[in-house]
Coordinates of all heavy atoms in Angstrom, one line a residue:
M1 N 0.8 -1.2 0.0 CA 0.0 0.0 0.0 C 0.9 1.2 0.0 O 2.0 1.2 0.5 CB -0.9 0.0 1.2 CG -1.8 -1.2 1.4 SD -3.1 -1.2 0.1 CE -4.3 -0.1 0.8
A2 N 0.4 2.3 -0.6 CA 1.2 3.5 -0.7 C 0.2 4.7 -0.7 O -0.9 4.6 -1.2 CB 2.0 3.5 -1.9
P3 N 0.6 5.8 -0.2 CA -0.3 7.0 -0.2 C -0.4 7.5 -1.6 O 0.6 7.6 -2.4 CB 0.4 8.0 0.7 CG 1.8 7.6 0.8 CD 1.8 6.1 0.5
R4 N -1.6 7.9 -2.0 CA -1.9 8.4 -3.3 C -2.8 9.6 -3.2 O -3.7 9.6 -2.3 CB -2.6 7.4 -4.2 CG -1.9 6.2 -4.5 CD -1.0 6.4 -5.8 NE -0.6 5.1 -6.3 CZ -0.1 5.0 -7.5 NH1 0.1 6.0 -8.3 NH2 0.3 3.8 -8.0
R5 N -2.7 10.6 -4.1 CA -3.7 11.6 -4.1 C -4.9 11.1 -4.8 O -4.8 10.5 -5.9 CB -3.1 12.9 -4.8 CG -2.1 13.6 -4.0 CD -1.8 14.9 -4.6 NE -2.9 15.8 -4.6 CZ -3.3 16.5 -3.5 NH1 -2.6 16.4 -2.4 NH2 -4.4 17.2 -3.5
W6 N -6.1 11.3 -4.3 CA -7.3 10.8 -4.8 C -8.4 11.8 -4.5 O -8.7 11.9 -3.3 CB -7.6 9.4 -4.3 CG -8.7 8.7 -5.0 CD1 -10.0 8.6 -4.5 CD2 -8.7 8.1 -6.3 NE1 -10.8 7.9 -5.4 CE2 -10.0 7.6 -6.5 CE3 -7.7 7.9 -7.2 CZ2 -10.4 6.9 -7.7 CZ3 -8.1 7.2 -8.4 CH2 -9.4 6.7 -8.6
S7 N -9.0 12.4 -5.5 CA -10.1 13.3 -5.2 C -9.7 14.4 -4.2 O -10.5 14.7 -3.4 CB -11.4 12.6 -4.8 OG -11.8 11.6 -5.8
G8 N -8.5 14.9 -4.3 CA -8.1 15.9 -3.4 C -7.7 15.5 -2.1 O -7.3 16.3 -1.2
E9 N -7.7 14.2 -1.8 CA -7.2 13.7 -0.5 C -6.1 12.7 -0.8 O -6.0 12.1 -1.8 CB -8.3 12.9 0.2 CG -9.6 13.6 0.4 CD -10.6 12.6 1.0 OE1 -10.3 12.0 2.0 OE2 -11.7 12.5 0.4
V10 N -5.3 12.5 0.3 CA -4.2 11.5 0.2 C -4.8 10.3 0.9 O -5.2 10.3 2.1 CB -2.9 11.9 0.9 CG1 -1.9 10.8 0.9 CG2 -2.4 13.2 0.1
V11 N -4.9 9.2 0.2 CA -5.4 7.9 0.7 C -4.5 6.8 0.5 O -3.6 6.9 -0.4 CB -6.8 7.6 0.1 CG1 -7.8 8.7 0.5 CG2 -6.7 7.5 -1.4
E12 N -4.6 5.7 1.2 CA -3.8 4.6 1.0 C -4.4 3.7 -0.1 O -5.5 3.4 -0.1 CB -3.8 3.7 2.3 CG -3.0 4.3 3.4 CD -1.5 4.4 3.2 OE1 -1.0 3.4 2.7 OE2 -0.9 5.5 3.4
M13 N -3.5 3.5 -1.1 CA -3.9 2.7 -2.3 C -2.9 1.6 -2.5 O -1.7 1.7 -2.1 CB -3.9 3.6 -3.5 CG -5.0 4.6 -3.5 SD -6.6 3.9 -3.8 CE -7.4 5.2 -4.6
P14 N -3.3 0.5 -3.2 CA -2.3 -0.5 -3.5 C -1.2 0.1 -4.4 O -1.5 0.9 -5.3 CB -3.1 -1.5 -4.3 CG -4.5 -1.3 -4.0 CD -4.6 0.2 -3.6
A15 N 0.0 -0.2 -4.1 CA 1.1 0.3 -4.9 C 1.3 -0.5 -6.1 O 0.9 -1.7 -6.1 CB 2.4 0.3 -4.1
G16 N 1.9 0.0 -7.1 CA 2.2 -0.8 -8.3 C 1.2 -0.7 -9.4 O 0.3 0.2 -9.3
R17 N 1.2 -1.6 -10.3 CA 0.4 -1.6 -11.4 C -1.0 -2.0 -11.1 O -1.3 -2.8 -10.2 CB 0.9 -2.5 -12.5 CG 2.2 -1.9 -13.1 CD 2.9 -2.9 -14.1 NE 4.0 -2.2 -14.7 CZ 3.9 -1.5 -15.8 NH1 2.8 -1.4 -16.5 NH2 5.0 -0.9 -16.3
L18 N -2.0 -1.5 -11.9 CA -3.4 -1.8 -11.8 C -3.6 -3.1 -12.5 O -3.0 -3.5 -13.5 CB -4.2 -0.8 -12.5 CG -4.2 0.6 -11.8 CD1 -5.0 1.6 -12.6 CD2 -4.7 0.5 -10.4
H19 N -4.5 -3.9 -12.0 CA -5.0 -5.1 -12.6 C -6.4 -5.1 -13.0 O -7.2 -4.4 -12.2 CB -4.7 -6.3 -11.7 CG -3.3 -6.6 -11.4 ND1 -2.5 -7.2 -12.2 CD2 -2.6 -6.2 -10.3 CE1 -1.3 -7.3 -11.7 NE2 -1.3 -6.7 -10.5
A20 N -6.8 -5.7 -14.0 CA -8.2 -5.8 -14.4 C -8.8 -7.0 -13.7 O -8.2 -8.0 -13.5 CB -8.4 -6.0 -15.9
V21 N -10.1 -6.8 -13.2 CA -10.8 -7.8 -12.5 C -12.2 -8.0 -13.1 O -12.9 -7.0 -13.4 CB -10.9 -7.4 -11.0 CG1 -11.6 -8.5 -10.2 CG2 -9.6 -7.2 -10.4
N22 N -12.6 -9.3 -13.3 CA -13.9 -9.5 -13.8 C -14.8 -10.0 -12.6 O -14.4 -9.9 -11.5 CB -13.9 -10.6 -14.9 CG -13.4 -11.9 -14.4 OD1 -13.2 -12.2 -13.2 ND2 -13.1 -12.8 -15.4
G23 N -16.0 -10.4 -12.9 CA -17.0 -10.7 -11.9 C -16.5 -11.8 -10.9 O -16.6 -11.7 -9.7
A24 N -15.9 -12.9 -11.5 CA -15.4 -14.0 -10.7 C -14.2 -13.5 -9.9 O -14.0 -13.9 -8.7 CB -15.0 -15.1 -11.6
G25 N -13.4 -12.6 -10.5 CA -12.2 -12.1 -9.8 C -12.6 -11.3 -8.6 O -11.9 -11.3 -7.6
L26 N -13.7 -10.6 -8.7 CA -14.2 -9.8 -7.5 C -14.5 -10.7 -6.3 O -14.3 -10.3 -5.2 CB -15.4 -9.0 -7.9 CG -15.1 -7.8 -8.8 CD1 -16.5 -7.2 -9.2 CD2 -14.3 -6.8 -8.1
I27 N -15.0 -11.9 -6.6 CA -15.3 -12.9 -5.6 C -14.1 -13.5 -5.0 O -13.9 -13.7 -3.8 CB -16.3 -13.9 -6.1 CG1 -17.6 -13.3 -6.5 CG2 -16.5 -15.0 -5.0 CD1 -18.6 -14.2 -7.3
L28 N -13.2 -13.9 -6.0 CA -12.0 -14.6 -5.6 C -10.8 -13.7 -5.1 O -9.9 -14.2 -4.5 CB -11.5 -15.5 -6.8 CG -12.5 -16.5 -7.3 CD1 -12.0 -17.1 -8.6 CD2 -12.7 -17.6 -6.2
G29 N -10.9 -12.4 -5.4 CA -9.8 -11.6 -5.1 C -8.6 -11.8 -6.0 O -7.5 -11.6 -5.6
R30 N -8.9 -12.2 -7.2 CA -7.8 -12.4 -8.2 C -8.1 -11.6 -9.5 O -9.2 -11.5 -9.9 CB -7.8 -13.9 -8.6 CG -7.4 -14.8 -7.5 CD -5.9 -14.9 -7.4 NE -5.6 -15.7 -6.2 CZ -4.3 -16.1 -5.9 NH1 -3.4 -15.7 -6.7 NH2 -4.1 -16.7 -4.8
A31 N -7.0 -11.0 -10.0 CA -7.1 -10.3 -11.3 C -7.2 -11.3 -12.4 O -7.0 -12.5 -12.2 CB -5.9 -9.4 -11.4
L32 N -7.4 -10.8 -13.6 CA -7.4 -11.6 -14.8 C -6.1 -12.4 -15.0 O -6.1 -13.5 -15.5 CB -7.7 -10.8 -16.1 CG -9.1 -10.1 -16.1 CD1 -9.2 -9.4 -17.4 CD2 -10.2 -11.1 -16.0
C33 N -5.0 -11.8 -14.6 CA -3.7 -12.4 -14.7 C -3.4 -13.3 -13.5 O -2.3 -13.9 -13.4 CB -2.6 -11.3 -14.9 SG -2.5 -10.3 -13.4
L34 N -4.4 -13.5 -12.6 CA -4.3 -14.3 -11.5 C -3.5 -13.7 -10.3 O -3.3 -14.4 -9.3 CB -3.9 -15.7 -11.8 CG -4.7 -16.5 -12.9 CD1 -4.2 -17.9 -13.1 CD2 -6.2 -16.5 -12.5
A35 N -3.1 -12.5 -10.5 CA -2.4 -11.8 -9.4 C -3.4 -11.6 -8.3 O -4.6 -11.2 -8.6 CB -1.8 -10.5 -9.8
P36 N -3.1 -11.8 -7.0 CA -4.0 -11.4 -5.9 C -4.2 -9.9 -5.9 O -3.2 -9.1 -6.1 CB -3.3 -11.9 -4.7 CG -1.8 -12.0 -5.1 CD -1.8 -12.3 -6.5
V37 N -5.4 -9.4 -5.7 CA -5.7 -8.0 -5.7 C -6.4 -7.6 -4.5 O -7.1 -8.4 -3.8 CB -6.6 -7.6 -6.9 CG1 -5.8 -7.8 -8.3 CG2 -7.9 -8.4 -7.0
T38 N -6.2 -6.4 -4.1 CA -6.9 -5.8 -2.9 C -8.2 -5.2 -3.4 O -8.1 -4.4 -4.3 CB -6.0 -4.7 -2.3 OG1 -4.8 -5.3 -1.9 CG2 -6.7 -4.2 -1.0
L39 N -9.3 -5.7 -3.0 CA -10.6 -5.2 -3.4 C -10.9 -3.9 -2.7 O -10.8 -3.9 -1.4 CB -11.6 -6.3 -3.2 CG -11.3 -7.6 -3.9 CD1 -12.4 -8.6 -3.6 CD2 -11.2 -7.3 -5.4
L40 N -11.3 -3.0 -3.4 CA -11.7 -1.7 -2.9 C -13.2 -1.4 -2.9 O -13.9 -2.0 -3.8 CB -10.9 -0.6 -3.6 CG -9.4 -0.7 -3.6 CD1 -8.8 0.3 -4.6 CD2 -8.9 -0.5 -2.2
D41 N -13.7 -0.6 -2.1 CA -15.1 -0.3 -2.1 C -15.5 0.3 -3.4 O -15.0 1.4 -3.8 CB -15.3 0.7 -1.0 CG -16.8 0.9 -0.7 OD1 -17.6 0.7 -1.7 OD2 -17.2 1.2 0.4
P42 N -16.4 -0.3 -4.2 CA -16.8 0.2 -5.5 C -17.5 1.5 -5.4 O -17.6 2.2 -6.4 CB -17.7 -0.9 -6.1 CG -18.1 -1.7 -4.9 CD -17.0 -1.6 -3.9
R43 N -18.0 1.9 -4.3 CA -18.6 3.2 -4.2 C -17.6 4.3 -4.2 O -17.9 5.4 -4.6 CB -19.4 3.3 -2.8 CG -20.6 2.4 -2.8 CD -21.3 2.4 -1.4 NE -20.3 1.9 -0.4 CZ -20.6 1.8 0.9 NH1 -21.7 2.2 1.4 NH2 -19.6 1.3 1.7
D44 N -16.4 4.0 -3.8 CA -15.3 5.0 -3.8 C -14.4 4.8 -5.0 O -13.5 5.7 -5.1 CB -14.5 4.8 -2.5 CG -15.3 5.1 -1.3 OD1 -16.3 5.8 -1.4 OD2 -14.9 4.7 -0.2
W45 N -14.5 3.8 -5.7 CA -13.4 3.4 -6.6 C -14.0 2.8 -7.9 O -15.0 2.1 -7.9 CB -12.6 2.4 -5.9 CG -11.5 1.7 -6.7 CD1 -11.6 0.5 -7.2 CD2 -10.3 2.3 -7.1 NE1 -10.4 0.3 -7.9 CE2 -9.6 1.3 -7.9 CE3 -9.7 3.5 -6.9 CZ2 -8.4 1.6 -8.4 CZ3 -8.5 3.8 -7.4 CH2 -7.8 2.8 -8.2
R46 N -13.3 3.2 -9.0 CA -13.6 2.4 -10.2 C -12.2 2.3 -10.9 O -11.4 3.1 -10.8 CB -14.6 3.0 -11.1 CG -14.2 4.4 -11.6 CD -15.4 5.0 -12.4 NE -15.0 6.4 -12.8 CZ -14.3 6.7 -13.9 NH1 -13.9 5.7 -14.7 NH2 -13.9 7.9 -14.1
W47 N -12.1 1.2 -11.7 CA -10.9 1.0 -12.4 C -10.8 1.9 -13.6 O -11.8 2.0 -14.4 CB -10.7 -0.4 -12.9 CG -10.7 -1.4 -11.8 CD1 -11.6 -2.3 -11.4 CD2 -9.5 -1.7 -10.9 NE1 -11.2 -3.0 -10.3 CE2 -9.9 -2.7 -10.0 CE3 -8.3 -1.1 -10.8 CZ2 -9.1 -3.2 -9.0 CZ3 -7.4 -1.6 -9.8 CH2 -7.8 -2.6 -9.0
P48 N -9.7 2.6 -13.8 CA -9.6 3.4 -15.1 C -9.5 2.4 -16.3 O -9.1 1.2 -16.1 CB -8.2 4.0 -14.9 CG -7.9 4.0 -13.5 CD -8.6 2.8 -12.9
N49 N -10.0 2.8 -17.4 CA -10.1 1.9 -18.5 C -8.7 1.5 -19.0 O -8.5 0.4 -19.4 CB -10.9 2.5 -19.7 CG -12.3 2.6 -19.4 OD1 -12.9 1.7 -18.7 ND2 -13.0 3.6 -19.9
D50 N -7.8 2.5 -19.1 CA -6.5 2.2 -19.8 C -5.3 2.7 -18.9 O -4.2 2.7 -19.4 CB -6.5 2.9 -21.1 CG -7.5 2.3 -22.1 OD1 -7.4 1.1 -22.3 OD2 -8.4 3.0 -22.6
G51 N -5.6 3.0 -17.7 CA -4.5 3.5 -16.9 C -3.9 4.8 -17.4 O -4.5 5.5 -18.3
D52 N -2.9 5.3 -16.8 CA -2.1 6.5 -17.3 C -0.7 6.4 -16.8 O -0.3 5.4 -16.3 CB -2.8 7.8 -16.9 CG -2.9 8.0 -15.4 OD1 -2.1 7.4 -14.7 OD2 -3.9 8.6 -15.0
E53 N 0.0 7.5 -16.9 CA 1.4 7.4 -16.6 C 1.7 7.1 -15.1 O 2.6 6.5 -14.7 CB 2.2 8.6 -17.0 CG 1.7 9.9 -16.4 CD 2.2 11.1 -17.1 OE1 2.7 11.0 -18.3 OE2 2.2 12.2 -16.5
D54 N 0.7 7.5 -14.3 CA 0.8 7.3 -12.8 C 0.2 5.9 -12.4 O 0.5 5.4 -11.4 CB 0.1 8.4 -12.0 CG 0.8 9.7 -12.2 OD1 2.1 9.7 -12.3 OD2 0.2 10.7 -12.1
W55 N -0.7 5.4 -13.3 CA -1.4 4.2 -13.0 C -1.3 3.2 -14.1 O -2.3 2.9 -14.8 CB -2.9 4.6 -12.7 CG -3.1 5.5 -11.6 CD1 -2.9 6.8 -11.5 CD2 -3.6 5.1 -10.3 NE1 -3.3 7.3 -10.3 CE2 -3.7 6.2 -9.5 CE3 -4.0 3.8 -9.7 CZ2 -4.2 6.2 -8.2 CZ3 -4.5 3.8 -8.4 CH2 -4.5 5.0 -7.7
P56 N -0.1 2.7 -14.4 CA 0.0 1.8 -15.5 C -0.7 0.5 -15.3 O -0.7 0.0 -14.2 CB 1.5 1.6 -15.6 CG 2.0 1.8 -14.2 CD 1.1 2.9 -13.7
L57 N -1.4 0.0 -16.3 CA -2.1 -1.3 -16.2 C -1.0 -2.4 -16.3 O -0.1 -2.3 -17.0 CB -3.1 -1.5 -17.3 CG -4.5 -0.9 -17.0 CD1 -5.3 -1.1 -18.3 CD2 -5.2 -1.7 -15.9
C58 N -1.3 -3.4 -15.5 CA -0.5 -4.7 -15.6 C -0.6 -5.1 -17.1 O -1.7 -5.2 -17.7 CB -1.1 -5.7 -14.7 SG -0.7 -7.4 -15.1
W59 N 0.5 -5.4 -17.7 CA 0.5 -5.7 -19.2 C -0.2 -7.0 -19.4 O -0.8 -7.2 -20.5 CB 1.9 -5.7 -19.7 CG 2.8 -6.8 -19.3 CD1 3.7 -6.8 -18.3 CD2 2.9 -8.1 -19.9 NE1 4.3 -8.1 -18.2 CE2 3.8 -8.9 -19.2 CE3 2.3 -8.8 -21.0 CZ2 4.2 -10.2 -19.5 CZ3 2.6 -10.1 -21.3 CH2 3.5 -10.8 -20.6
I60 N -0.2 -7.9 -18.5 CA -0.9 -9.2 -18.7 C -2.4 -8.9 -18.8 O -3.2 -9.3 -19.7 CB -0.6 -10.2 -17.7 CG1 0.9 -10.5 -17.7 CG2 -1.4 -11.5 -17.9 CD1 1.3 -11.4 -16.6
C61 N -2.9 -8.1 -17.8 CA -4.3 -7.8 -17.8 C -4.7 -6.9 -19.0 O -5.7 -7.1 -19.6 CB -4.7 -7.0 -16.6 SG -4.7 -8.0 -15.1
L62 N -3.8 -6.1 -19.4 CA -4.0 -5.2 -20.6 C -4.2 -6.1 -21.8 O -5.1 -5.9 -22.6 CB -2.8 -4.3 -20.8 CG -3.0 -3.1 -21.7 CD1 -4.1 -2.2 -21.2 CD2 -1.7 -2.3 -21.8
T63 N -3.3 -7.1 -22.0 CA -3.4 -8.0 -23.1 C -4.7 -8.8 -23.1 O -5.4 -8.9 -24.1 CB -2.2 -9.0 -23.1 OG1 -1.0 -8.2 -23.2 CG2 -2.3 -9.9 -24.3
L64 N -5.1 -9.2 -21.9 CA -6.3 -10.1 -21.7 C -7.5 -9.2 -22.0 O -8.5 -9.8 -22.6 CB -6.3 -10.7 -20.3 CG -5.3 -11.8 -20.1 CD1 -5.3 -12.1 -18.6 CD2 -5.6 -13.0 -20.9
T65 N -7.5 -8.0 -21.6 CA -8.7 -7.2 -21.8 C -8.8 -6.6 -23.2 O -9.9 -6.1 -23.6 CB -8.8 -6.1 -20.7 OG1 -7.6 -5.3 -20.8 CG2 -9.0 -6.6 -19.3
H66 N -7.7 -6.6 -23.9 CA -7.7 -6.0 -25.2 C -7.6 -7.0 -26.3 O -7.5 -6.6 -27.5 CB -6.6 -4.9 -25.3 CG -6.9 -3.7 -24.6 ND1 -6.8 -3.6 -23.2 CD2 -7.4 -2.5 -25.0 CE1 -7.2 -2.4 -22.8 NE2 -7.5 -1.7 -23.9
S67 N -7.5 -8.2 -26.0 CA -7.3 -9.2 -27.0 C -8.6 -9.4 -27.8 O -9.7 -9.4 -27.3 CB -6.9 -10.6 -26.4 OG -7.8 -11.0 -25.5
P68 N -8.5 -9.6 -29.1 CA -9.7 -9.8 -29.9 C -10.4 -11.2 -29.5 O -9.7 -12.1 -29.2 CB -9.2 -9.9 -31.4 CG -7.8 -10.2 -31.3 CD -7.3 -9.7 -29.9
S69 N -11.7 -11.2 -29.5 CA -12.4 -12.4 -29.1 C -13.0 -13.2 -30.3 O -13.1 -12.6 -31.4 CB -13.5 -12.1 -28.1 OG -14.3 -11.2 -28.7
Ligands
ZN101 ZN1 -2.7 -8.1 -13.9

């Protein structure tokens, strides 16, 4: 965990790259890449679609979420 600025406040957030999580992952606490993830209150939080320079997406999740089906 690491302090991050969020909505004008400094809050504790998971450090490192973001992971994508699907419905099953929300129950299991696992990202698409099977990394364990810290689940956050969805009322306070949503995953950015593509990350940014401060919030890079895990490349495995990025590949999995952007692969053609
Ligand atoms: Zn990931």
Side-chain angles (χ1 to χ4, degrees):
M1 300 293 279
R4 295 272 198 171
R5 288 193 63 82
W6 187 260
S7 299
E9 303 176 53
V10 177
V11 295
E12 291 291 315
M13 291 289 209
R17 290 176 175 269
L18 295 177
H19 295 281
V21 180
N22 63 12
L26 287 174
I27 297 168
L28 298 172
R30 294 275 173 173
L32 294 182
C33 65
L34 305 182
V37 293
T38 303
L39 300 178
L40 300 170
D41 189 333
R43 291 173 300 179
D44 294 341
W45 172 255
R46 62 186 176 84
W47 297 105
N49 287 328
D50 292 305
D52 61 27
E53 60 193 21
D54 292 329
W55 296 78
L57 274 173
C58 161
W59 70 267
I60 299 174
C61 287
L62 196 62
T63 300
L64 290 172
T65 55
H66 287 75
S67 60
S69 56

